[in-house]
Amino acid sequence: MTTAPSTPPADPSSSEATERQLRLGAAQGEAYRKALDHMAQDVAKAGGTQRAGDYLVGYAIEDAEGMYHLEDGELVWHNPGDTNAHVEVVVCDAGDGRFVPGLDVSATLVTPGGQELGPFPQELVWHPMLYHYARNWELPEDGDYTLRVHVEPPTFMRHDEINGRRFVAPVDVEFTGVRIERGAEPVDPPA
């Protein structure tokens, strides 16, 4: 289900948003979009974006990679193991381009042979350049996949009696012809 935006993206006539504040929010979104474009076009093996209701949804495909997990109050590094692809999903406010945190995002991959994998939750990942929702996947083959992304409406509060009326409907986005070449990038963090 893809919906049209629920409200104008930036109305300065509210009690919470001035024109300057909206410009500052848009500047944050512009900077985030530059990072998203760099990740999707220059870093990732494949990437793209699509508008869906109040959101701009993007993806990037990379080699599976290691990450820190907080376990019993300690950061523990986990290399990719048997996983061989890293699927990143970005969800931005379509109005100003800022990253939307706190979402339940899931992804399904359909292999070139038609096997459906998922849906699996995509977890929020801190990255030095680009917050995103991601997970490592174990895929059976290289080739052109279909990526389906589902985004549930967030439960967080929305400030602003006019501009806050957004993000109320779930959205589904489908990317076809997503070229995936499997690989993994294990690294050893410094001791």
Side-chain angles (χ1 to χ4, degrees):
M1 164 180 176
T2 301
T3 60
S6 58
T7 62
D11 185 343
S13 66
S14 76
S15 68
E16 293 296 328
T18 65
E19 286 186 32
R20 179 170 189 240
Q21 290 168 335
L22 293 170
R23 279 195 314 272
L24 289 170
Q28 291 176 41
E30 183 178 326
Y32 186 82
R33 181 60 190 256
K34 286 178 185 176
L36 169 59
D37 289 346
H38 173 67
M39 178 68 77
Q41 297 168 10
D42 303 327
V43 176
K45 292 180 174 182
T49 60
Q50 193 176 130
R51 174 78 184 254
D54 291 335
Y55 304 105
L56 176 71
V57 178
Y59 76 92
I61 307 294
E62 297 183 357
D63 288 344
E65 50 196 32
M67 289 188 222
Y68 281 109
H69 296 258
L70 190 61
E71 297 174 5
D72 298 323
E74 301 286 329
L75 287 174
V76 178
W77 183 260
H78 293 272
N79 268 316
D82 292 333
T83 61
N84 54 23
H86 184 70
V87 177
E88 301 177 354
V89 175
V90 170
V91 184
C92 303
D93 182 323
D96 62 21
R98 292 184 295 168
F99 176 74
V100 182
L103 297 174
D104 286 328
V105 177
S106 61
T108 300
L109 284 171
V110 181
T111 69
Q115 179 185 3
E116 194 167 296
L117 307 171
F120 295 117
Q122 297 283 112
E123 295 183 47
L124 178 64
V125 175
W126 178 90
H127 183 277
M129 178 183 66
L130 188 77
Y131 283 111
H132 57 274
Y133 299 94
R135 76 184 295 273
N136 286 334
W137 294 66
E138 188 174 350
L139 301 179
E141 60 187 309
D142 293 344
D144 290 341
Y145 282 71
T146 296
L147 169 62
R148 295 183 187 129
V149 176
H150 177 78
V151 180
E152 281 293 315
T155 59
F156 57 66
M157 295 182 283
R158 292 129 170 101
H159 223 330
D160 192 318
E161 77 280 5
I162 295 173
N163 298 299
R165 294 179 296 178
R166 56 182 3 127
F167 313 132
V168 296
V171 295
D172 293 290
V173 177
E174 182 172 285
F175 298 95
T176 58
V178 176
R179 184 78 185 155
I180 298 180
E181 295 176 13
R182 297 169 299 159
E185 256 182 63
V187 297
D188 294 319

